[in-house]
Amino acid sequence: MAADYWFVVYPLFRDIAVMSTIIIGLSLSFLLFLLSAGLTLIFGMLGVINFAHGALYMLGAYTSFQIVQMTGSFWLGLLFAPVIIAGLGALIEILALKRVYSRDHIFQLLLTFGLILVIDDATKLIWGLDYKQVPTPDFLSGPVSLFGSQISSYRLFVIGFGAAVSFGLFVLLDRSKWGMIIRAASSDPDMARTLGIDVNRVRTGVFALGSYLAALGGVIAAPLVPIELGMGFSVIIDCFIVVIIGGLGNIRGAIFASLLLGMTRAAGYTYATEWVELLTFALLIGTLMFRPAGLFSYKGRTA
């Protein structure tokens, strides 16, 4: 039976369009997950809808570009740019965000929207208005043969790297002591304080981790797309769609929704370009109509 199934499926992989769609869809999915996971984590722990998440993604790409210009190494950019943006995220949380946790969500939205304007203007002053581009690492610049199709080796790297980060994040949140502390501080901060947990420090760490993931997505995307002002606006919409479809604050849901949205977009770009946006928002509208809480039940903000 398995042999018969493979006899039917294998010719599909031999089709260049089908294979390219799968690879592009998976790479887009894991890139979306890197971004939406940070957004989900921040909402799940802090209850903050972070509009500035896309700006941190953009800043990660620009910082990576600068490191590559200075050192000539993409890998140093991948290593250090997210750490730098994580430090900036921690600073933002300490100096600004912690002051609005107890206030209405409108203050959080206004604050994070204001951060977008500040980050955009700072980026314009430092890097100007011209497009920037990070070259693909040499050994990932060529295609590889897969099922008879020529596939971008860098997109295969994005898939593997995204899958590894997804697994690591799942282990961190669900199987580690730090994950237990995050869930405790999220569900009952007063009890967590009674047990000796520094909730303020945990919140700072969570926002820094979310910023790290946003910047990591920017670094990974830098060889694939032009780096420009406002690049965070286009991606943040897809991130919010992923968070809504997967369930607010649900990491498992974010994984599934990223795969669903990424594959839908890739199939749309290949077979029905003019329908891509309609298909994307149809997924969102259908979810809101039939599963308003998301496809995954809301059972704890970071579960």
Side-chain angles (χ1 to χ4, degrees), residues 42 48-59 88-101 107-124 207 211 229 233:
I42 290 171
V48 173
I49 301 174
N50 182 21
F51 272 0
H53 201 70
L56 295 173
Y57 156 81
M58 176 191 71
L59 203 55
L88 176 63
L91 195 63
I92 289 172
E93 196 277 339
I94 292 170
L95 296 180
L97 204 59
K98 70 188 305 181
R99 303 175 186 274
V100 298
Y101 287 144
F107 292 98
Q108 300 171 2
L109 295 178
L110 289 173
L111 174 61
T112 55
F113 183 76
L115 287 172
I116 295 175
L117 302 179
V118 172
I119 292 172
D120 274 5
D121 280 350
T123 302
K124 188 190 305 181
F207 195 86
S211 302
L229 282 173
F233 280 107

Side-chain angles (χ1 to χ4, degrees), residues 225-270:
V225 299
I227 302 171
E228 58 180 326
L229 282 173
M231 63 185 290
F233 280 107
S234 57
V235 78
I236 196 64
I237 296 173
D238 282 347
C239 288
F240 276 117
I241 291 174
V242 166
V243 171
I244 292 169
I245 291 176
L248 296 176
N250 194 308
I251 291 293
R252 294 184 185 89
I255 295 174
F256 178 82
S258 297
L259 288 169
L260 179 61
L261 184 59
M263 296 305 296
T264 299
R265 277 194 168 277
Y269 287 132
T270 302

Side-chain angles (χ1 to χ4, degrees), residues 191-228:
M191 180 59 73
R193 289 189 182 94
T194 303
L195 295 174
I197 296 173
D198 189 338
V199 174
N200 290 333
R201 183 174 295 180
V202 172
R203 286 173 171 168
T204 302
V206 167
F207 195 86
L209 178 58
S211 302
Y212 177 92
L213 291 171
L216 191 62
V219 176
I220 292 296
L224 296 174
V225 299
I227 302 171
E228 58 180 326

Side-chain angles (χ1 to χ4, degrees), residues 135-147:
T136 305
D138 289 339
F139 82 96
L140 294 175
S141 59
V144 296
S145 180
L146 189 64
F147 295 106

